[in-house]
Amino acid sequence: PILAEEVKISFRDIENHWAKENIETLAAKGTIRGFADGYFKPAEKVNRAQLMVILSRVNGWDLKSIKNTTSQNNLPQFARAALLKAIDLQIIRPQKNGTIDAVSPLTRSEIAVILDRFFKLSEKATTQLPLTYLDEKEIPTWAIPSIITVTNQGIFGGAEGKFNPKAAITRAELASVIQRIIIGSKRNLS
C-alpha cells in the first residue's frame, strides 16, 4: 500500500487551486506525481494508463514481476505493467475488438466503474439509494451500479444536480476522489 513516510511536495500551478490539499497529500505519499517542470497540470484529463499507474501506487503493486503476456503494442511503456496487472485482476477490460484504449481521456462513468472494481466499493456498500441525477438517462447501463455506489458513499457525485457521465475527469478531480476513498477506508478500518 501507500508509502508510510511522507515528504511535502508542492507544485507551481496549484497554489490557489481548490484541490491543493488533496493533491499535496497524495503527492507526499508518492501516490501521484507531477511533471519534471514542477507543474501538476490539475486540469489535464486522465487516461487509463495514468489512472492504472496511480492505482498501482495506491495498492503497492510489485510491477517488476509482471510478464508481458499480450501482443497489444498500443500500451504506453510507462504504464504497460500496471495496465497488464489491471487486466489480469479484471479492473479494466479489453474492448470488443480485444484492445485496451490506454490513452483516451476517461469519462466519469468509466472512472466510477474502474474505482468500484479496484477498491471493491460495491462489496463494502451497506445501502444503495437510487440515483436522482437530472441526467441519469445519459448514464450507460453498465455504469449504473458503480455510479450508485460512488454516489451513495460520497466518493464523487455531480454538480448542479447532474452527474455528467460522459465528461472527462481531471487530475485534480481524480486526486480528490482517491483521497476521499482512502479517508473513507481508514474510517471503516477503525
Side-chain angles (χ1 to χ4, degrees), residues 1-152:
I2 300 170
L3 301 174
E5 187 177 322
E6 294 183 14
V7 178
K8 176 123 172 77
I9 296 175
S10 192
F11 303 99
R12 296 176 178 181
D13 55 347
I14 64 165
E15 188 54 42
N16 295 311
H17 197 278
W18 62 266
K20 177 183 179 185
E21 186 177 337
N22 292 324
I23 293 167
E24 287 181 343
T25 299
L26 292 178
K29 295 175 181 176
T31 305
I32 58 172
R33 296 183 182 152
F35 295 87
D37 60 4
Y39 289 91
F40 181 73
K41 301 179 184 177
E44 187 174 284
K45 308 296 186 235
V46 177
N47 62 41
R48 268 179 197 75
Q50 295 163 334
L51 176 63
M52 293 323 306
V53 168
I54 291 167
L55 293 179
S56 74
R57 293 180 193 135
V58 169
N59 232 26
W61 287 347
D62 175 15
L63 298 178
K64 292 179 179 87
S65 63
I66 304 298
K67 302 286 185 254
N68 185 6
T69 57
T70 182
S71 60
Q72 294 193 41
N73 296 324
N74 65 326
L75 302 180
Q77 194 58 40
F78 80 94
R80 190 174 193 80
L83 287 162
L84 293 173
K85 176 84 171 182
I87 292 166
D88 186 50
L89 296 174
Q90 296 188 5
I91 294 165
I92 59 173
R93 297 180 180 145
Q95 298 170 332
K96 289 179 183 169
N97 65 5
T99 63
I100 295 290
D101 180 359
V103 296
S104 295
L106 288 168
T107 65
R108 294 170 54 82
S109 295
E110 291 169 318
I111 290 275
V113 170
I114 292 169
L115 294 176
D116 185 12
R117 289 178 187 155
F118 180 83
F119 290 103
K120 298 178 172 58
L121 299 170
S122 291
E123 293 174 17
K124 300 171 188 169
T126 53
T127 50
Q128 296 287 49
L129 302 173
L131 294 176
T132 58
Y133 293 115
L134 299 173
D135 60 350
E136 70 180 272
K137 288 186 180 2
E138 296 174 31
I139 297 172
T141 307
W142 52 263
I144 291 172
S146 295
I147 292 172
I148 289 172
T149 298
V150 299
T151 299
N152 284 316

